[in-house]
Amino acid sequence: MTPVTEATLALKLTERINRIEPSATMAVVAEADKLRQQGIDVVDFGAGEPHFATPQHIKDAGVAAIQGNFTKYTAVSGTTELRDAIAHRHAVDFDSDYRREEVIASTGGKQALFNAVQVLVDHGDEVILPVPYWVSFKDIVRYAGGNCVLLETDETKGFRVTAEMIERLITPRTKLIILNSPSNPSGAVMSPEDLTEVVRLAHERGIWVLSDECYVYLNYTMKRFSVGALREFRERMVIIGSLSKTYAMTGWRLGYALGPSAVVGAMNKLQSQSTSNPTSIVQKAAVAALKGPQQCVTDMRAEYINLRDHVVNGLRAIPGVKCTLPDGAFYMYPNVSAFFGRSGVKSASDLAGKLLREAHVAVVPGEGFGTRDHIRVSYATSVAELDRGLERLRKFLAAL
Ligand SMILES: Cc1ncc(COP(=O)(O)O)c(C=O)c1O
């Protein structure tokens, strides 16, 4: 009998699972954890999550839910209380008008996104995806059998995405356009005008728009905007939202989708055959987050702006590092190509690997986001930690 090895086992797995790769961000987290376990002091700019604790009133609601035995199954798409709270919060903040049956709560925005793509994208469909893209978009589309059509953007224009750029890529096979504003990893924010034009174009051409708005509250321009405000185009749009970043709740796993009831109903069917409802006690905490005081969101946003301004100045002060000013999220996306060719560093991956091993600073290389010249620096940490990391980075790059 042939011995079972990793290679022979891979051959027995499905073609669709072999189509995708593990998340590049998770790989950095794992590598940094390994070093930490060896007692090494790592400065972590890799993680894509808030450094804040979940606000107290939200934690209290979770504890009360446990104590009150709110620990049974709920409706697959979440309780009516939660779905109404999601719709209401969105209506108040963004002037949308979604009804309960147009809302589904999921185990994180990621599950909502995964399910939305599964119900919208068929084998051979084309999905337009602006570069740089969040790592999971590409693999989620591939898993559904779709083909990503990458939309290259210009760093010197702030990675801007316009309807004209998208129009050039449309073919008879185009099924979906994925937008992510504010963007992970670049922090770029699309203007309301550009978003409107893209949604209008998609509507005219009968193409779906999936707008990942997980960072919508972390928009540092004056104009906070969701495509949900564009009510006349609603039948071609699905919005993905998340409590993870807005309320510092990454580990709780609560996200949602807003869209036409036919799409949301199909997502509900899929979710009913996989995970069922998001955790009951988390749903109670989510209601407290959405209905409770929103000052915590304002305060965290203000702090992210301080941190962004601090880190952009620090990065720009390093000779050779080029860095656009991001208007949202909590990432910087500096161009480090000036260092390629030095000390055996040929790529962003080489640089990130060496930086982690030798200077103990964790960042995510740009290749995972579709660009070769950048690294992603998460600044969701304290000023002191930013300074420690910037100093290590400066010394490391100077010695290359
Ligand atoms: C662009 C984007 N979308 C979706 C998610 C998923 O977030 P969650 O599943 O925690 O809601 C993330 C998380 O990093 C993200 O960066």
Side-chain angles (χ1 to χ4, degrees):
M1 221 170 64
T2 331
V4 179
T5 63
E6 292 242 348
T8 54
L9 203 57
L11 292 175
K12 291 189 198 302
L13 302 179
T14 60
E15 179 269 328
R16 65 182 177 280
I17 194 64
N18 287 328
R19 238 184 267 153
I20 64 172
E21 288 158 24
S23 154
T25 13
M26 301 288 182
V28 172
V29 172
E31 180 95 29
D33 270 352
K34 222 189 272 172
L35 291 179
R36 256 188 234 107
Q37 275 159 24
Q38 294 164 24
I40 294 169
D41 160 38
V42 176
V43 176
D44 194 356
F45 293 161
E49 63 179 343
H51 58 306
F52 298 107
T54 304
Q56 191 60 43
H57 67 284
I58 303 175
K59 293 196 281 197
D60 289 344
V63 172
I66 296 175
Q67 298 297 0
N69 297 316
F70 193 73
T71 51
K72 312 276 194 222
Y73 291 130
T74 72
V76 168
S77 55
T79 60
T80 53
E81 184 191 27
L82 174 58
R83 279 180 285 151
D84 288 351
I86 291 170
H88 183 70
R89 179 84 269 143
H90 210 268
V92 169
D93 291 344
F94 302 108
D95 194 32
S96 60
D97 67 342
Y98 287 97
R99 289 170 291 125
R100 186 185 292 166
E101 55 281 15
E102 297 171 312
V103 180
I104 181 167
S106 298
T107 306
K110 205 177 216 175
Q111 189 191 21
L113 183 70
F114 184 91
N115 289 352
V117 171
Q118 284 293 327
V119 308
L120 293 176
V121 175
D122 252 326
H123 276 273
D125 285 344
E126 290 178 2
V127 176
I128 297 178
L129 181 61
V131 179
Y133 46 77
W134 176 50
V135 279
S136 294
F137 291 138
K138 186 169 56 64
D139 291 287
I140 288 175
V141 167
R142 278 194 187 157
Y143 195 70
N147 297 321
C148 289
V149 175
L150 300 180
L151 171 65
E152 296 300 333
T153 59
D154 185 344
E155 180 177 5
T156 62
K157 297 193 173 116
F159 302 103
R160 186 175 173 201
V161 174
T162 66
E164 279 148 42
M165 291 161 74
I166 288 183
E167 190 162 24
R168 278 183 236 131
L169 298 183
I170 293 177
T171 76
R173 304 225 64 156
T174 308
K175 188 70 177 291
L176 178 71
I177 299 163
I178 295 183
L179 301 176
N180 175 216
S181 172
S183 152
N184 176 5
S186 71
V189 171
M190 288 180 71
S191 68
E193 294 74 25
D194 282 345
L195 278 167
T196 305
E197 286 313 307
V198 174
V199 170
R200 186 200 309 279
L201 170 71
H203 191 261
E204 279 168 13
R205 300 292 189 91
I207 297 167
W208 290 97
V209 170
L210 196 135
S211 183
D212 180 333
E213 301 185 358
C214 287
Y215 296 91
V216 74
Y217 288 92
L218 302 181
N219 176 339
Y220 310 134
T221 69
M222 296 311 285
K223 298 179 241 165
R224 188 166 79 186
F225 183 79
S226 162
V227 297
L230 306 170
R231 300 175 181 196
E232 66 272 39
F233 304 128
R234 56 186 296 143
E235 72 266 29
R236 282 286 170 193
M237 291 181 333
V238 178
I239 296 172
I240 304 295
S242 172
L243 274 63
S244 288
K245 325 282 167 160
T246 314
Y247 300 101
M249 291 178 72
T250 45
W252 297 73
R253 314 304 303 128
L254 204 292
Y256 57 86
L258 306 170
S261 54
V263 176
V264 166
M267 291 171 66
N268 185 54
K269 181 165 71 168
L270 179 58
Q271 193 162 297
S272 78
Q273 299 296 8
S274 56
T275 56
S276 296
N277 59 275
T279 309
S280 59
I281 55 179
V282 171
Q283 292 190 52
K284 284 288 187 192
V287 168
L290 295 161
K291 285 188 164 171
Q294 300 299 300
Q295 190 58 38
C296 54
V297 179
T298 312
D299 292 347
M300 287 190 271
R301 178 178 176 277
E303 181 57 12
Y304 286 129
I305 294 175
N306 284 338
L307 293 168
R308 174 197 65 167
D309 293 344
H310 189 77
V311 77
V312 78
N313 291 332
L315 284 169
R316 284 179 175 169
I318 301 175
V321 175
K322 279 190 287 175
C323 199
T324 54
L325 181 72
D327 278 328
F330 40 65
Y331 307 105
M332 307 294 301
Y333 204 52
N335 184 315
V336 290
S337 58
F339 300 94
F340 298 170
R342 299 192 200 168
S343 306
V345 168
K346 291 196 244 17
S347 64
S349 288
D350 285 350
L351 189 129
K354 207 169 158 64
L355 179 66
L356 181 58
R357 285 189 305 275
E358 296 176 13
H360 305 145
V361 178
V363 298
V364 185
E367 285 94 336
F369 307 107
T371 73
R372 300 175 48 207
D373 294 344
H374 305 83
I375 52 173
R376 191 193 74 175
V377 174
S378 167
Y379 58 82
T381 186
S382 64
V383 169
E385 201 60 2
L386 282 177
D387 284 342
R388 254 166 33 95
L390 283 169
E391 184 52 20
R392 288 185 189 185
L393 182 65
R394 193 188 58 74
K395 278 197 188 137
F396 169 81
L397 292 175
L400 269 186

